[in-house]
Every structure is written in C-alpha cells, then in structure tokens.
Amino acid sequence: MYVAVKGGEQAILNSHKLIAEERRGDTAVPELSLAQIKEQMQLAVDRVMTEGSLYDRDLAALAIKQAQGDLMEAIFLLRAYRTTLARFGESLPIETAGMALRRRISAAYKDLPGGQVLGPSYDYTHRLLDFALAAEEGVGAPEAESAESGIEAAIPRVTDILNHEGLIEEEIALDDAAPVGDLTREPLRFPAERDLRLQNLARGDEGFLLALGYSTQRGYGRNHPFAGEIRLGEVAVEFVPEELGFAIEIGEITVTECQMINQFAGSAERPPQFTRGYGLSFGHCERKTMAMALVDRALRARELDESIEYPAQDEEFVLYHSDNVEASGFVQHLKLPHYVDFQSELQLIRSLRKRHAQDRREAAE
Amino acid sequence: MGASLSEAGGQAGPAPAARQRWMSVLAKARLGELEEAWQGLDDKPAYDWLRLPEIGMVMVRARTGGTGGQFNLGQMTVTRCALRLASGEAGLGYVQGRAKRHAELAAVFDALLQDAARRPVLEQDVIAPLAAAHAARRDDRSRKANATKVNFFTLVRGENDQ
C-alpha cells in the first residue's frame, strides 16, 4: 500500500515562522546578541565547540542562539556547517606542556612544582543561588585579583614527575610519520586504536561519557583513578601552509587537559606501574575531560590484558553510542512518518489476534 | 594561479625563522590592532590577489597524554589568502577564524616585511608592538591565575613551647 506523505509544505513553513517567534520570545525584552552569548555563556560555547568538533566561538554562539539554547541542537548545527568547508590540512600536534596556564590542579600531589593554581572554577563555590546576579542594575564590572607576576613558564607535568622514577607508563610517540585515524574521513572500524577512540571521545556526548566514567568508579570496570593533573589554558596552533614548507602559528585556542593516573598490577612482562587515561577538549570542559580520561582508560582493557566485562570497557558499545548527533538523529527519526510500517504492523497484529481467538475456540470445542 | 601561488612562499626572501615569527605575531594580533597599524602606514602599497580570502578548516592534532601518539582533536576555522605587491613581494595570510580582513592585513604586512629596506622600521613599529600587546594580554591572564595559587601552610598542633 502506498501512502502519500505530501501536503505538509504550508504547515512546515508556518512551523518555521512559529519557531522564529518563539525563539525571539517576548519582544519587550531586548534581543540576545551573539557577543553576549560568546562573552557571558562561555561554557555553553565551549561545549558546543568541543562536541560540534569545530573551534569557532562566533559560530558556536550563533548555533546556541539559533537553537534557543538547546546545546545538542547547536552541536548538530555546527557539525552540519562544518561539512560546507574545505580542509586546508592538519596542524602540528599542540604542545600542552607549553600551555599558558590559567588553572592547574593535581589531586595526587599537594606540593608540586608550579603549585596548585585554582583559576576560574565553580569547584570552591557553595552552589547557592546568587541573587546578586538577578539584580536589576546588573553586576557592573567585577575585577579579579592580580598577582605581581604571572605563573612561571613551562611547569612540568605531574606524569613527567612520576616518569622520572619509572612509576608510570610513558606515552611515547613511536612513529610520527604513521597515518592518524580520522573519523571525519573514514567510518569507525573495530578493533579501534587509541587515536580513533580519543577522537571519538573528544567529540562524544558529555552526559554519556560522564555516566560511563561514573560507572567505572562504581565498580563496572574499576580502575582506581586519581586526577593526576588538570590543566586549562591557551596553546598556539602551528600549521605548515603548503606554500611555505615551514610551520607558522595561525592562532591560539583554549583547551582543557586531564591526565588520569590509574592503578595497574603489572604482568609477566611489565613491572607494576601506574597506567594512564587521557582527556582533552576545546575550551573549558573539565567535567568532560575527566569523564573522557576515565573512559579512555577503561577502553584500554584489551591492550592491558584486562577482562572486558563492563559497558565502559566495550569499545563497540562506547564508540557507537557516544555521538549525540547520531544518537539524537536515530532516536528522533521515530518522529518521522512511519505510516506504512505501522499499517503493516496493524495488519499483522489483527491476524495474530484472529488466529489466537480461533485457537482458543478450537481448544474449547 | 597555482604557479603564482607558489611565489607567495618566497624564494630568496628572509630567513624562515624571521618570517615564521612575524607571521605568527600577525596571526595572533587583534583585527583592531592590525587596522590601526595599516592606517598608520604613510605609503600604503597597492596589491593584487594571488588567492582571494578563503574560509576553510584545519584539523587540530594533539598527542595522547600530551607526549604520545597523535590523534585528531577536532577542527578549527581558518582563513587564508595570498597577494602580491606592486613592487613584487608576495605575502601570505593564514589566520584563525572566519576573518577575511585579518588574513588580508596579515598578508600585506607579510609582503611588506619581505622588503629588506622596509623591514627594520616595520619590525619596530608594527611587529614589536603587536607582539607586546599579545604578551601583555597573556601576562594579564597569567597574573590573575597566579593570584589563585594555593599557599599551603601547616598548622602545628600539640606543641607547647611556652
């Protein structure tokens, strides 16, 4: 049976007009500017850039405005826009050791070279609603304290400190000429190596990764994590233009990095050593990078000869379900007309019920 | 266009290290600062496009654990262009974001800086102030961060010296 699904054009056009009006809200209230979103909704912008997998604060702000603050919709918009642009190439790997730090904490060492720099964080707030922010006259221009001098350059990583004693596995670039897997160019295949896993996790949904990371802490893939180091700051992006043949800095991006230190008992080949999980995001996405580092470590079960028993260790389960653009698309496609499918289901259930009634009649006779 | 584009790389020009530095400074400068520097030029050169400003992306790479194998973190928007001055020098602009005017000004200054006669003045009047402004922004952020550094002290208890 063929069911025509035409005739919705006018309804759709009017729905667009309605959403435009709803998005604007009460016109007695001033319209939100992109600059306001960019400057005052920075963490929303950061999440959209990270999961939208495109570093552009202006576009992320536009996406947030267009999506009425629905961040997943904004992420979708950014991903879609990305497909319209050509790629000039790949950057050199960013140097997080040379990051211009604005926050740097370690839960593993109290007194560590460079110290604990709290930076801008809600961690130490009381989580009480601040009604000063609701005041009619606004907050004015709050001023932060400023120290006499800046943070010293090139603060060593906590993992490098542990490396000196050989207590932690080293991350070594074995072959920099080896091709780097890229999910935007080729589909995910299993087993997936760490480059593909990290790319997937970096743009994966924060909520999904948070829940999975949490599950590892609660016993579903326990790996005894310590937040070895969390860093927030700016790094230069170096790129080699085809016309030049040498690298230039093309800009600076803000990133958050989490180095998770985990227990490992060792094996016949390896002496006992701490193992590592890694999290990295655009902007300030600390919860995301911590969750990412927990899940990255859990997904190393195969490589570290651990038994794979739990969802967070199962790479197909994690990597196939981490992307909120895909997940949202597949869940929400259920809203599309399934009239034909449903008609056939109706026919099927009617015939089943008819047979059921017949069987019962026959049994009774 | 392909042949002329390769000119933008420059052949007998300044040492890569010098050009590398000024191109990086120009890319990280603010558009307003570049416009000001451009307005401050007494003799603004004419130029022809070798490549019109074009918006695209660069895939940002990172290393596992900061030091290990490479992976693709995500992309960033980038604008590039190439142009040639009437005097012959070709300049190249590669800057972050969707920023056509920024790329254009970066390319013009890149071309001008390749003129050995103009370079010392431009280094002093344009590049040095742009680099200083960038360093000042960085220092401001760093000093504010440093004010949030924890100074641990230990409370000694159970001692009675008096």
Side-chain angles (χ1 to χ4, degrees), chain A residues 9-133:
Chain A
E9 289 93 340
Q10 194 57 47
I12 289 171
L13 276 175
N14 290 348
S15 171
H16 288 171
K17 286 182 181 168
L18 183 56
I19 195 71
E21 184 183 308
E22 299 258 322
R23 178 196 294 132
R24 177 61 184 86
D26 183 351
T27 50
V29 177
E31 188 180 339
L32 200 54
S33 74
L34 296 191
Q36 285 172 330
I37 296 172
K38 202 166 76 159
E39 292 300 318
Q40 298 173 41
M41 292 282 147
Q42 295 162 31
L43 299 182
V45 167
D46 288 348
R47 179 169 179 191
V48 170
M49 292 196 305
T50 294
E51 294 175 31
S53 204
L54 185 66
Y55 197 105
D56 188 311
R57 305 199 79 85
D58 298 291
L59 289 176
L62 171 60
I64 290 168
K65 179 171 178 174
Q66 187 177 332
Q68 278 179 283
D70 178 345
L71 299 190
M72 239 181 253
E73 180 74 15
I75 288 159
F76 190 178
L77 290 170
L78 211 55
R79 289 268 189 100
Y81 175 81
R82 213 180 51 155
T83 62
T84 65
L85 295 180
R87 189 192 294 190
F88 297 155
E90 292 78 34
S91 80
L92 299 184
I94 54 173
E95 292 286 352
T96 55
M99 191 187 297
L101 292 173
R102 286 193 287 130
R103 169 167 164 82
R104 186 274 195 136
I105 55 162
S106 170
Y109 287 106
K110 178 166 71 77
D111 297 301
L112 74 170
Q116 309 268 358
V117 179
L118 305 184
S121 172
Y122 290 106
D123 287 356
Y124 322 101
T125 63
H126 293 106
R127 265 65 184 234
L128 299 172
L129 276 177
D130 180 359
F131 288 96
L133 293 169

Side-chain angles (χ1 to χ4, degrees), chain B residues 98-113:
Chain B
R98 292 168 310 128
K100 291 185 174 179
R101 180 67 178 158
H102 187 162
E104 178 177 3
L105 288 173
V108 175
F109 280 112
D110 175 45
L112 287 171
L113 278 151

Side-chain angles (χ1 to χ4, degrees), chain B residues 61 64 88 114 121 133 137:
Chain B
R61 289 212 167 138
T64 308
Q114 290 174 62
V121 174
R137 284 195 292 275

Side-chain angles (χ1 to χ4, degrees), chain B residues 50-62:
Chain B
L50 296 174
R51 171 186 264 150
L52 283 165
E54 173 192 12
I55 295 165
M57 297 180 295
V58 163
M59 175 58 90
V60 179
R61 289 212 167 138

